[in-house]
């Protein structure tokens, strides 16, 4: 099982129809699982890109 390191949460908002009726929706994170030093780690794609850029 992968270790989840991210602390980010989904974003919530409204779907708005043409008649302006609002229903709740959530934008889920783009979670990726990869290995670092033989350990499966789950991070968001934005965090992976920042790690890759730092190295």
């Amino acid at each position: 099982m992968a270790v989840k390191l991210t602390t980010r949460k989904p974003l919530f908002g409204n779907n708005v129809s043409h008649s302006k009726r609002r229903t709740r929706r959530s934008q889920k994170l783009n979670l990726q699982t990869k290995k670092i030093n033989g350990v499966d780690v789950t991070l968001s794609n934005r965090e992976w890109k920042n790690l890759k850029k730092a190295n």
Side-chain angles (χ1 to χ4, degrees):
M1 188 167 121
V3 178
K4 188 173 181 182
L5 294 179
T6 186
T7 59
R8 298 181 65 211
K9 304 279 185 195
L11 294 173
F12 290 93
N14 289 317
N15 281 333
V16 183
S17 70
H18 185 67
S19 63
K20 305 295 190 235
R21 288 182 62 101
R22 287 164 167 79
T23 56
R24 294 299 279 175
R25 72 177 305 266
S26 65
Q27 291 179 345
K28 296 189 172 74
L29 300 174
N30 184 8
L31 295 178
Q32 304 292 322
T33 302
K34 297 186 182 180
K35 283 190 187 254
I36 295 180
N37 297 332
V39 178
D40 284 337
V41 177
T42 300
L43 289 173
S44 67
N45 196 46
R46 180 187 293 183
E47 292 166 335
W48 279 116
K49 286 169 70 174
N50 286 336
L51 279 176
K52 195 164 124 181
K53 185 177 177 182
N55 291 333

